[in-house]
Amino acid sequence: MITQLQPISVIFSLPQDQLPQVIAKLRAGGQLPVEAYDRDDTAKITAGTLSSIDNQIDTTTGTYKLKATFSNENNILFPNQFVNVHLLVDTKHNLTVVPISALQRGPQGAYVYAVDGNNTVKIRAVNVVQTTSESVGVSYGLSAGDTVVTDGQDKLQDGSKVIPTVSNAPRRASAAASSNTPQGAPATRGSTR
């Protein structure tokens, strides 16, 4: 059995709901960048480009397969290695990014609990424009630097007092915490072929 290492391909899947976005970008003549991350999805290994899309959707999983190609000049990728894949389809501008754990949904739509200067939480309606596995981008309702609650929102009401703390975890925003109040404080998977 012969396996090609340079270039090397990574096969990964995406939900069928995301197919129209990817197809539209490819038909417009764009080349979509792909990044391979380690097993923990924290360290970028290498970058490549999307090379093809499967012509059918897997009816058992509701996903479709894609293939990305990496030059692999330093042999950092190896056959059957497990990697996390990030495919960049579009870039959104002027969004405020918060951890997905801060997002709440109610009858009036999406909202977050924002902490003001007096350590009081206020419900803020937000418009979710972009969602990833760990964060959401909102177009209104928050500004960069706002502190949001990421854990224990079920114990809060508009006007509740909290004791803010800052999380040092990567890709997390500031959050509120204390022993009896809410606390807070990050792609798809594929394998090489």
Side-chain angles (χ1 to χ4, degrees):
M1 186 161 122
I2 300 173
T3 303
Q4 180 175 312
L5 295 175
Q6 295 176 347
I8 195 166
S9 295
V10 174
I11 307 295
F12 62 102
S13 298
L14 285 176
Q16 65 184 4
D17 297 345
Q18 296 176 356
L19 180 60
Q21 291 174 291
V22 175
I23 293 288
K25 205 61 152 179
L26 286 176
R27 285 189 179 147
Q31 192 167 31
L32 300 179
V34 179
E35 296 177 338
Y37 280 74
D38 65 359
R39 188 172 195 83
D40 296 328
D41 203 17
T42 55
K44 179 179 165 183
I45 299 172
T46 188
T49 58
L50 183 66
S51 53
S52 66
I53 299 176
D54 199 353
N55 64 355
Q56 64 182 351
I57 294 173
D58 183 341
T59 57
T60 59
T61 62
T63 62
Y64 62 101
K65 290 183 181 175
L66 302 97
K67 182 164 98 172
T69 303
F70 299 85
S71 63
N72 205 31
E73 294 158 351
N74 54 4
N75 290 323
I76 198 161
L77 294 176
F78 200 77
N80 295 318
Q81 176 182 1
F82 181 84
V83 294
N84 286 292
V85 175
H86 295 219
L87 170 65
L88 179 63
V89 176
D90 199 2
T91 302
K92 306 284 186 186
H93 297 279
N94 300 320
L95 298 180
T96 303
V97 178
V98 297
I100 198 161
S101 57
L103 186 67
Q104 301 294 301
R105 298 206 183 267
Q108 313 311 327
Y111 65 94
V112 297
Y113 286 101
V115 182
D116 67 16
N118 297 325
N119 295 334
T120 303
V121 295
K122 174 112 177 101
I123 294 175
R124 292 208 198 149
V126 293
N127 181 36
V128 177
V129 177
Q130 183 70 36
T131 304
T132 67
S133 61
E134 298 178 352
S135 59
V136 294
V138 299
S139 61
Y140 70 80
L142 289 172
S143 299
D146 284 349
T147 302
V148 297
V149 177
T150 60
D151 188 37
Q153 294 94 326
D154 57 328
K155 301 172 188 167
L156 293 178
Q157 295 178 2
D158 201 27
S160 296
K161 287 281 196 187
V162 294
I163 301 170
T165 62
V166 177
S167 171
N168 293 326
R171 298 190 218 177
R172 302 236 187 221
S174 300
S178 94
S179 59
N180 58 3
T181 58
Q183 62 176 342
T188 52
R189 303 181 187 283
S191 61
T192 57
R193 294 271 190 250

